[in-house]
């Protein structure tokens, strides 16, 4: 098991100097630690890792520390430095806490969590040395079996940190699942929720009554033969494989009045050296909120101010490999999007999933959806778009509790997809309301309005009928 400790500082810290001060042998123990890797690890005499320290990240986006840690942050810009302590080894948590406390004191700032960074006292470190972490190592992984990698996260929100992103990539390359274990009070960032693949990957929540359960489905879990698996009900049969649901998962599901406007879409651009990416995200954000996104990054916290040019440059540098990005809004108007940019035979694809949060008394701006759809259809090579309204948290984080499904509010078919569909199939549908044309009459996209009432799931029946019709299956 590991413990995360984070220093939030106004000045750029020098972790190697602080680490040297922590070691009883002095700075000479850091010889060879300045490798190209972004992580330095403290190990004991047997080579067991005690603390892993990541390179500081300059955060220029306001509100990320509050969103992910529930912590007060310095005025932006500030530096975010993470350390992970192995709690199975004595002194490790003390080392990490002292490291963060000294860092915050030396360069000005705070440490999170406060209780982990109370003392700057010298920690006994005889035999401890600092070494660079090899490129293939995964500091985020706590348990590794032949089936899964297990990551234990004890923080308010499981975020797509650089460490966790590395763990996702490494487990995918090795053909393993990734199982994230958290305490009961932890929530998950939508960025992690969207990236979590199917079985055997899962979110495992510790529970006092049922032991462990799946934070997304509520299924009761147990550790068996190298991974967490579902517990079978005594009444289960091959035809009806019932799984017990944790009691905690179904509690506190009353409607709080909070809502999310969820939008997912795909654009396919012709490959061109002059192509600027991210404009589709910006157009939707502007239509829904009246302003562009606040920031973006290739991990969480999102650390860079919003810039189409910088985003495009990063994606171009990574070609032909895909690029994954997270986009955030101002804390006053919660918004988050994940973007996957891929070069394909058809061109350059942007797969986008975004959501905006609204509290009780705040109106969901559903009337702005047609304008957002038209912007995508006319200026950003839209292929398709689905809009839903959900009963879910305003802050957009995913709790380990039951949240009802979203209900479709609209579906949009891009102009090229409408053009290639035979006959009048795209226009003559089984829905009671005909589609609206978006863009030029000679080459329109089509907007299909749907009920969008979160209290009425029958909207999914209309959506399924529409999909069968468009595919020619009805």
């Amino acid at each position: 098991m590991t413990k995360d400790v984070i220093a939030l500082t106004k000045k750029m810290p020098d972790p190697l100097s602080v680490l040297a001060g922590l070691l009883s042998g002095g700075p000479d123990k850091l010889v060879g630690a300045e490798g190209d890797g972004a992580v330095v690890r403290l190990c004991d005499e047997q080579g067991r890792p005690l603390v892993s320290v990541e390179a500081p990240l300059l955060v220029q986006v306001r509100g990320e520390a509050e969103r992910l840690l529930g912590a007060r942050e310095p005025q932006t810009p500030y530096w975010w430095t993470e350390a992970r302590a192995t709690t199975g080894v004595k002194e490790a948590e003390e080392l990490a806490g002292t490291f963060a406390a000294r860092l915050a004191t030396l360069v000005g700032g705070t440490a999170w969590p406060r209780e982990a960074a109370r003392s700057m006292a010298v920690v006994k470190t005889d035999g401890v040395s600092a070494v660079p972490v090899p490129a293939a190592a995964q500091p985020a992984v706590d348990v590794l079996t032949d089936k899964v990698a297990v990551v234990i996260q004890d923080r308010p929100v499981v975020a797509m940190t650089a460490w966790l992103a590395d763990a996702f990539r490494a487990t995918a390359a090795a053909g393993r699942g990734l199982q994230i274990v958290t305490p009961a009070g932890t929530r998950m960032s939508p960025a992690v929720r969207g990236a979590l693949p199917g079985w055997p990957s899962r979110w495992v929540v510790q529970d006092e009554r049922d032991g462990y359960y799946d934070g997304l489905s509520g299924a009761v879990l147990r550790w068996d033969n190298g991974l967490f698996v579902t517990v079978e009900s005594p009444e289960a049969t091959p035809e009806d494989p019932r799984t017990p649901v944790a009691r905690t998962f179904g509690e506190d599901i009353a409607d709080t009045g909070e809502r999310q406007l969820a939008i997912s879409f795909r654009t396919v651009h012709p490959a061109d050296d002059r192509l600027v990416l991210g404009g589709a995200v910006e157009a939707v954000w502007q239509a829904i909120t009246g302003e562009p996104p606040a920031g973006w990054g290739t991990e969480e916290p999102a650390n860079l101010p919003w810039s189409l040019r910088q985003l495009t440059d990063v994606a171009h540098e990574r070609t032909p490999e895909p690029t994954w990005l997270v986009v955030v809004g101002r804390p006053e108007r919660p918004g988050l999007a994940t973007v996957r940019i891929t070069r394909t035979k058809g061109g350059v694809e942007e797969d986008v999933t975004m959501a905006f949060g609204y509290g009780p008394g705040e109106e969901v701006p559903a009337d702005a959806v047609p304008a957002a759809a038209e912007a995508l259809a006319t200026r950003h090579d839209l292929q398709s778009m689905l809009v839903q309204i959900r009963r879910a948290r305003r802050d957009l984080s995913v709790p380990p509790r039951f949240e009802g499904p979203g209900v479709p509010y609209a579906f949009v078919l891009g102009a090229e997809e409408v053009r290639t569909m035979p006959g009048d199939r795209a226009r003559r549908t089984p829905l009671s309301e005909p589609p609206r044309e978006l863009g030029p009459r000679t080459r329109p996209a089509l907007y299909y309005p749907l009920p969008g009432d979160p209290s009425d799931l029958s909207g999914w029946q209309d959506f399924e009928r529409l999909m069968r019709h468009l595919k020619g299956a009805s």
Side-chain angles (χ1 to χ4, degrees), residues 106-125:
L106 287 173
V107 296
T110 59
W112 178 94
R114 290 186 179 277
E115 61 271 18
R118 288 175 179 166
S119 174
M120 291 190 295
V122 175
V123 180
K124 187 177 184 304
T125 55

Side-chain angles (χ1 to χ4, degrees), residues 19 30 72 125 135 143 164 196 224 262 271 327 333 343 457 460 471-472:
L19 285 173
L30 291 174
R72 288 188 62 185
T125 55
V143 177
L164 192 57
L196 197 63
D224 181 54
V327 182
R333 170 51 56 221
R343 179 69 182 267
L457 297 181
W460 283 113
K471 293 175 182 177

Side-chain angles (χ1 to χ4, degrees), residues 65 72 81 151 161 214 233-234 261 300 325 377 442 468:
R72 288 188 62 185
T81 307
V151 173
T161 60
D214 189 298
S233 170
L261 180 64
E300 289 182 295
L325 308 170
T442 55
R468 287 197 301 267

